[in-house]
Amino acid sequence: MTTINVMSGTLGDIFWDLAPWITYEPGYDLGCSIYVANPGDTEKEYTLMARLSSEGTVISEEVLPVFGYTWFKVAPGDFVRLRGALRFDESDSELAILLVERETEEVTDSVVTLLVSPASAGVLPPTWPGGTSIAGFDWSSLLYMMFPVMMLGTVVAAAKPKENEREPVPAAVTEERKLLPEGRQEDAR
């Protein structure tokens, strides 16, 4: 299992817009935005590696080309946003994108998500590799149980008199109306 190091890359950081687990059908594109930041004071070159593994066994590992090149540069104190799509032939596995710095050729940071097949998507949250399985729950049954209660609440609320409504004032209680004096009128000469 790939360890997650949040903001630990001293030579570079990587972030993305994918959730910790997503439903993924093998063979389809998985669109995402990846952000690579250079916290240093000199320009750095990086490469991205995609590693797919299941229960600790690496299924595939490949370099992700950026604009057709293996290595790409990031200015000091800056970041780049990379938009693209990934496609895999496997699901129910862990996807890790590793950020490798060129000078040291070491993984400086990584991001990880769990790819869950639609057949397993009923599991909330999904089981992590090596964990115990949790049976799925049909959330629609909870909605069907709560619907009569919500309807009863709506009926009771509609039957209550509104607090801000005023009762009609009897005619005997009305006050005498005072007329305002006429305003100044100027002669039109």
Side-chain angles (χ1 to χ4, degrees), residues 142-160:
L142 182 63
L143 177 65
Y144 292 134
M145 290 187 303
M146 294 300 296
F147 187 71
V149 175
M150 292 185 299
M151 289 303 294
L152 180 63
T154 304
V155 170
V156 169
K160 275 187 174 180

Side-chain angles (χ1 to χ4, degrees), residues 15-86:
F15 312 92
W16 64 1
D17 60 353
L18 293 181
W21 71 276
I22 57 172
T23 303
Y24 178 71
E25 179 70 35
Y28 285 91
D29 285 348
L30 174 63
C32 64
S33 292
I34 298 174
Y35 301 85
V36 176
N38 178 1
D41 53 0
T42 60
E43 183 177 73
K44 299 279 185 194
E45 283 189 79
Y46 301 103
T47 192
L48 298 175
M49 298 282 295
R51 179 183 294 159
L52 202 60
S53 58
S54 180
E55 298 179 13
T57 304
V58 175
I59 299 169
S60 69
E61 189 172 71
E62 60 186 272
V63 173
L64 299 177
V66 176
F67 304 117
Y69 297 100
T70 303
W71 297 94
F72 60 96
K73 296 179 182 182
V74 179
D78 201 4
F79 72 94
V80 294
R81 179 181 183 181
L82 307 169
R83 296 180 187 170
L86 306 169

Side-chain angles (χ1 to χ4, degrees), residues 16 18-22 30 93-96 111-115 128:
W16 64 1
L18 293 181
W21 71 276
I22 57 172
L30 174 63
S93 55
E94 181 183 82
L95 169 62
V111 288
V112 179
T113 192
L114 187 62
L115 303 178
W128 290 91

Side-chain angles (χ1 to χ4, degrees), residues 91-188:
S91 195
D92 293 323
S93 55
E94 181 183 82
L95 169 62
I97 303 297
L98 313 172
L99 180 66
V100 179
E101 195 271 331
R102 186 171 196 154
E103 188 176 314
T104 61
E105 293 189 4
E106 291 182 11
V107 174
T108 184
D109 201 6
S110 64
V111 288
V112 179
T113 192
L114 187 62
L115 303 178
V116 180
S117 67
S120 302
V123 179
L124 294 173
T127 57
W128 290 91
T132 58
S133 179
I134 300 173
F137 181 73
D138 182 15
W139 289 97
S140 62
S141 63
L142 182 63
L143 177 65
Y144 292 134
M145 290 187 303
M146 294 300 296
F147 187 71
V149 175
M150 292 185 299
M151 289 303 294
L152 180 63
T154 304
V155 170
V156 169
K160 275 187 174 180
K162 296 181 181 171
E163 292 179 19
N164 60 355
E165 281 186 9
R166 295 173 34 184
E167 293 183 21
V169 179
V173 182
T174 58
E175 295 180 16
E176 181 181 327
R177 291 177 81 188
K178 295 182 182 179
L179 296 176
L180 295 175
E182 290 186 25
R184 266 194 277 174
Q185 296 180 3
E186 295 187 28
D187 293 334

